[in-house]
Amino acid sequence: MAALPHGMLLVTGPTGSGKTTTVYAALSEVNNGIEKIVTIEDPVEYELSGVLQVPVNERKGLTFARGLRAILRHDPDRILVGEIRDAETAEIAVQSALTGHQVLTTVHANSVFDVTGRFKHFGLDMFGFMAALNGVIVQRLVRCLCRHCLTTRPTTPREAQWFASLDLPVPEAMPHPAGCPHCDRVGYSGRRVIAEVHAIDDGFRDLVTTGAPVSALRDHVYRQGATTLSRLSADLVNRHETSAEEIKRVVGW
């Protein structure tokens, strides 16, 4: 989706879920030195070679919206907007995506359904927004278990219920963080992303623009084969990459 020539790619999740890192990674993948890429950020977190990066400076009047308007006058091929915080920025970003630019951006929302609600709350024309939207990535960051002190413990009834609700075999034992000198006694070392990747199709666009309920949106999205955060989380626990406690803290079950 990051390689498409125009449209909007949204990365969403709570604060600290790695959204900015993901959009930077996507931009780096398509940065071939041929196309003109401009970013507007608050602040600029990574320096990207061959990319014009503009920091927001609200004290001097350079907001996301004003900076984005100025960027469009340079006729870029791809635009990274650090975060959509208000209706004005959202409107300009959507118009940019509709007029032949590719826009990568982030927004605070917990699911693909919350994203549509958020932009509806901004007062945007939902037909235009959905026409511009290529895809939504919903992500979380979880801590990885330390490989030096990984242990197991019996599965609790509540954990067994969680696996059963996902139609997965219930494991007899769960990975458990013990703690050792390698991980400063916390039992975890490093982090990894869990991400739902949603390519927006015409069926989803039709449902949103006709005001369908969230239950209908959910049925459509997961009928298309998207894997839920819960299912991805359970797979990580099964592979002993993280713990059920960490999943409950970050994703919930």
Side-chain angles (χ1 to χ4, degrees), residues 155-165 170 174 244 248 252-253:
T155 302
T156 68
R158 180 66 186 89
E159 290 163 349
Q161 185 181 351
W162 172 45
F163 271 81
S165 70
V170 178
M174 286 285 185
K248 186 175 183 180
W253 41 265

Side-chain angles (χ1 to χ4, degrees), residues 153-225:
R153 58 164 177 77
T155 302
T156 68
R158 180 66 186 89
E159 290 163 349
Q161 185 181 351
W162 172 45
F163 271 81
S165 70
L166 297 170
D167 294 324
L168 292 172
V170 178
E172 294 182 1
M174 286 285 185
H176 184 68
C180 69
H182 291 279
C183 59
D184 291 332
R185 307 289 178 188
V186 296
Y188 297 94
S189 179
R191 294 181 183 228
R192 63 156 295 157
V193 71
I194 306 174
E196 290 183 11
V197 180
H198 302 280
I200 304 302
D201 62 7
D202 289 340
F204 188 80
R205 292 187 178 98
D206 290 342
L207 288 170
V208 172
T209 53
T210 55
V214 172
S215 57
L217 298 179
R218 182 176 286 108
D219 287 344
H220 176 82
V221 163
Y222 295 119
R223 199 166 55 242
Q224 300 306 306

Side-chain angles (χ1 to χ4, degrees), residues 17-28 45-46 106 139 141:
S17 58
K19 300 186 296 295
T20 302
T21 303
T22 296
V23 291
Y24 270 113
L27 202 59
S28 297
E45 295 185 33
Y46 304 94
T106 73
Q139 69 178 53
L141 274 185

